[in-house]
Amino acid sequence: MGECIFCEIVEDQAPARRLIEDERTLAFLDINPATTGHALVVPKAHADDLLDIPVEDLTAVTVTAQRLARASMTALEADGVNLLQATRAAAFQTVFHMHVHVIPRYAEDGIRLPWIPTPGDPERIDETADRLRAAL
Ligand code: 5GP
Ligand code: ZN
């Protein structure tokens, strides 16, 4: 992969505030933190996003995210944690090396959901469920 910043970080060719590493994953702090402790977990092997990451790497990324979530609760005294994964530009992805954001949450951090929960049309929800089931 040419020009992938997260591959460069994995290979220690670019600086990062590295937090934890294992055979398949690396976690480091985000340079634009949404909250104190906002971290990214990446597979060491390049994958573009959630759609192409092998399941073994996805599992390992999730386990590392859980470790970070637990550490955020204790070391940073977070009140909660959000995981965020963006796949494709339409979903906010800007770095096209699969990563999971681990965002410690604090009672007064002011972060809001990016949508307003509103009841959907039941028929449309039923139809959507049918379309998805047909593909699963
Ligand atoms: P995305 O929008 O793709 O889900 O998130 C990409 C994240 O990577 C952003 O939160 C951004 O701040 C972070 N980021 C981009 N470049 C770098 C970098 O060079 N180092 C670190 N530590 N984070 C980065
Ligand atoms: Zn990469």
Side-chain angles (χ1 to χ4, degrees):
M1 282 305 295
E3 307 287 313
C4 173
I5 182 61
F6 288 177
C7 280
E8 290 180 12
I9 288 172
V10 166
E11 289 155 18
D12 236 343
Q13 303 297 310
R17 294 176 179 86
R18 301 164 78 102
L19 297 172
I20 187 172
E21 176 172 4
D22 62 20
E23 190 187 344
R24 290 181 181 271
T25 72
L26 173 69
F28 51 90
L29 286 180
D30 196 300
I31 47 169
N32 302 301
T35 65
T36 300
H38 180 174
L40 303 172
V41 185
V42 303
K44 287 183 171 176
H46 182 95
D48 288 344
D49 55 38
L50 182 64
L51 303 178
D52 70 342
I53 185 172
V55 70
E56 296 83 3
D57 281 350
L58 178 60
T59 302
V61 164
T62 304
V63 169
T64 300
Q66 185 191 43
R67 293 183 70 173
L68 270 169
R70 287 175 169 160
S72 302
M73 299 298 288
T74 54
L76 304 180
E77 298 177 14
D79 299 306
V81 178
N82 280 125
L83 300 187
L84 173 69
Q85 201 291 316
T87 285
R88 306 280 172 92
F92 308 141
Q93 188 175 12
T94 60
V95 176
F96 294 86
H97 179 132
M98 157 77 189
H99 52 281
V100 171
H101 298 254
V102 181
I103 305 172
R105 297 297 309 278
Y106 305 92
E108 306 300 330
D109 64 27
I111 291 179
R112 297 279 171 264
L113 279 176
W115 70 91
I116 299 168
T118 309
D121 170 18
E123 274 184 29
R124 182 102 194 271
I125 296 173
D126 283 341
E127 181 209 326
T128 304
D130 286 342
R131 290 171 64 192
L132 281 170
R133 285 188 203 107
L136 289 167

